[in-house]
Amino acid sequence: MNPSRREFLKKTALVSAGLAAGPLAAKSLNLEPVQNALPYWRGFNLLDFFSPDMEKGRKNPPEFLAWIADWGFNFVRIPISYPVYLDFDRSRPILASEVLNFDESKIEQIDRLVYLAHSHGLHVSLNLHRAPGFCINAGFIEPFNLWKDQDALDAFCAHWEMWSKRYKHISSDKLSFDLVNEPFMREDPNDQHSPGGPVPVEDYYRVAKSALETIKGINPHRLVIANGNGGGGIAVPELADLELGQSCRGYHPMSISHHKASWVYKEPDSLPDPIWPGEFNGQYHGRQMIEQYYAPWIELLQKGVGVHCGECGAYSKTPHAVFLRWFEDVLDFLSENKIGFGIWEFSGAFGVLNSGRTDVDYEDWYGQKLDRKYLNLLMKYA
C-alpha cells in the first residue's frame, strides 16, 4: 500500500469515527486538498432542452446568461433530452428506427444557446440527460436499454458522433461533453418510484468507453466527463483508466436536498423538516457527514481523475435557513478541494431566481424574483 493510499484510508476511518461520536465531533477534519485535473467551473444548469418536447422546455431569456457572467460565474451545463432535437411522430412512443432522425432546425436552437453562453465567456458542458435507451426520469418510453442492448449503444455513440463533428473546432476550454446523466438501473424504467441501483460497472465501462472512443476519434482533445453511478453519487474508480473526468452530485443528504420532492418520495407531505447541523433520524447531520460522503471522490482526485459537481442545490420545500447552512458546508468542502459546481437550476424550484419558496424575502430583479441570500452565498465561491 503506497503512503498516499494509507493516509487516505486513515483519514476516512477518522471521519467515520467522528460521525459515530456525534455533535462533539463536529469540528472539521480538514482533509488535505489535492490537485484537481478539471478546471474550477462554477455556475448553473440551464434547462432549455431538458424536456423531450422542445415546446415544453424551460427557456431562459438571453439576459440570464449575462447575469450569470456578471455575477462572477464561468460555467453552464446544458442537460438535453435527445428526442428534443429529433423529428418523429410524438403521438406514440419513439421507435428504434427513429432515434437518429436529427432535425437540423431544432439542433440549431441548441447551437444558439451554446454560442450565446460562449459570447459571455462561459464554459459549456453539453450533457445527454436522456440518452437513447436511458434516462433516470420517467415520462418517455424508450425502445431499448442503453446498458444492455447493442442497438441502443450504437445510437448513443451516433449521437455523440453528431455532436463531436458539429463542434469539432471548438476548444475544450469552451466546451466539454458530459456523456449521460446519472446512470441507474430501475426495475421498471417507466415508474419513477420503482426500486433500482447502480448500473453493473462492466456495462457502464463498456458504454463509456465506446462513446469516449467515438468522441476522441473526431477530436482527440475534447474534454469528456462521466457521471457517478447509482444516480450520480457513486464514484467509479473502475473508469480511472479511461481519459474521463467524473461528475459527482451535491445532494447529500437527500433528506435536505430533496425535502418533500414528489418525484423522490411517495408521501412527501408526511416528512418532518430536516435539521442542519444536529441530530436527525437517529444520526448527527453535520460537516463530517459531507466529508465522509465525498471521501471516494477525493480518492479519485488522488488518482489523478478530475472531479466536478455537475448538479447540486436543494428543492424549494427545504426550509431556507436549513438549506443555506447545509449548502455552505457543501460548497466550502468542494471549494477546499477545487471541485467546481453546477447549481440545478438558475431559475426555478432549485434556483436563485423564481424558486417559489414561501420563506424567502425576494428582491425584485428586473421583474424576476431573486433570492439574494442564496446568491450571496454562491458568489462567495464564484
Side-chain angles (χ1 to χ4, degrees):
M1 183 181 296
N2 64 51
S4 62
R5 169 72 173 166
R6 187 183 300 110
E7 183 66 14
F8 170 78
L9 292 175
K10 177 182 176 183
K11 289 177 178 177
T12 302
L14 287 171
V15 171
S16 300
L19 281 170
L24 294 178
K27 188 174 184 292
S28 170
L29 296 177
N30 295 319
L31 297 179
E32 183 178 347
V34 294
Q35 183 65 38
N36 192 343
L38 285 179
Y40 187 42
W41 296 314
R42 289 91 64 213
F44 301 86
N45 282 256
L46 300 178
L47 308 191
D48 297 54
F49 307 105
F50 174 70
S51 170
D53 187 341
M54 179 75 79
E55 302 307 315
K56 295 180 180 178
R58 309 182 198 178
K59 294 296 187 290
N60 291 281
E63 58 266 28
F64 281 12
L65 286 104
W67 297 345
I68 289 170
D70 289 346
W71 286 334
F73 301 98
N74 62 2
F75 171 88
V76 291
R77 180 174 181 257
I78 304 176
I80 300 172
S81 182
Y82 80 93
V84 80
Y85 55 84
L86 298 184
D87 180 15
F88 66 99
D89 182 355
R90 296 175 185 271
S91 68
R92 52 159 173 76
I94 193 170
L95 305 176
S97 60
E98 296 173 321
V99 299
L100 299 183
N101 290 354
F102 300 131
D103 186 325
E104 179 66 18
S105 66
K106 293 176 180 176
I107 294 174
E108 287 175 354
Q109 294 188 47
I110 298 174
D111 289 344
R112 285 194 284 273
L113 180 57
V114 170
Y115 298 141
L116 179 61
H118 288 163
S119 74
H120 291 288
L122 301 170
H123 179 91
V124 173
S125 171
L126 198 71
N127 162 251
L128 284 185
H129 190 277
R130 176 174 292 278
F134 172 73
C135 184
I136 196 167
N137 300 114
F140 184 91
I141 299 175
E142 292 294 333
F144 36 35
N145 185 328
L146 175 60
W147 312 115
K148 297 297 182 183
D149 299 330
Q150 186 61 43
D151 287 352
L153 177 55
D154 290 344
F156 181 59
C157 291
H159 277 255
W160 279 119
E161 179 182 23
M162 182 274 291
W163 288 116
S164 297
K165 289 179 177 178
R166 194 171 191 91
Y167 296 144
K168 178 179 180 179
H169 300 296
I170 297 179
S171 166
S172 279
D173 292 338
K174 300 172 69 175
L175 178 72
S176 57
F177 290 160
D178 182 341
L179 290 178
V180 59
N181 185 71
E182 299 178 355
F184 195 78
M185 281 288 240
R186 187 174 276 122
E187 288 182 12
D188 181 354
N190 295 309
D191 180 358
Q192 198 72 33
H193 299 293
S194 177
V199 175
V201 72
E202 62 273 16
D203 292 325
Y204 191 10
Y205 187 96
R206 175 176 47 82
V207 168
K209 184 173 186 289
S210 296
L212 180 66
E213 289 175 346
T214 297
I215 293 166
K216 293 289 189 178
I218 295 166
N219 182 347
H221 305 295
R222 176 64 60 216
L223 186 55
V224 185
I225 293 172
N227 282 212
N229 204 347
I234 301 174
V236 195
E238 295 86 352
L239 300 182
D241 66 327
L242 300 176
E243 194 180 344
L244 288 166
Q246 292 195 32
S247 178
C248 63
R249 292 294 177 265
Y251 294 140
H252 184 76
M254 294 279 282
S255 58
I256 289 182
S257 67
H258 287 69
H259 181 53
K260 295 188 176 182
S262 61
W263 63 95
V264 176
Y265 302 102
K266 288 187 176 181
E267 298 180 357
D269 292 336
S270 67
L271 298 173
D273 284 346
I275 296 169
W276 190 276
E279 292 284 346
F280 184 72
N281 286 342
Q283 185 180 16
Y284 185 76
H285 283 46
R287 167 71 181 235
Q288 289 182 325
M289 173 182 276
I290 294 169
E291 293 181 351
Q292 184 186 45
Y293 174 75
Y294 286 108
W297 295 95
I298 301 305
E299 185 170 3
L300 277 184
L301 291 178
Q302 292 171 335
K303 293 177 180 291
V305 177
V307 175
H308 183 260
C309 185
E311 292 183 21
C312 52
Y315 184 46
S316 59
K317 298 295 180 67
T318 305
H320 198 240
V322 174
F323 161 53
L324 293 180
R325 288 195 297 269
W326 161 74
F327 204 46
E328 182 159 20
D329 279 344
V330 173
L331 292 175
D332 190 63
F333 181 83
L334 294 176
S335 174
E336 284 182 2
N337 292 281
K338 291 299 178 185
I339 297 173
F341 59 83
I343 304 299
W344 185 277
E345 53 208 299
F346 187 60
S347 175
F350 282 72
V352 296
L353 296 180
N354 310 313
S355 66
R357 295 180 183 273
T358 59
D359 54 353
V360 171
D361 293 325
Y362 292 103
E363 174 183 331
D364 180 76
W365 183 262
Y366 298 96
Q368 310 294 326
K369 292 182 177 180
L370 171 63
D371 182 347
R372 175 62 71 174
K373 286 185 178 180
Y374 184 16
L375 178 60
N376 286 344
L377 172 61
L378 294 178
M379 289 176 69
K380 285 177 58 178
Y381 299 96

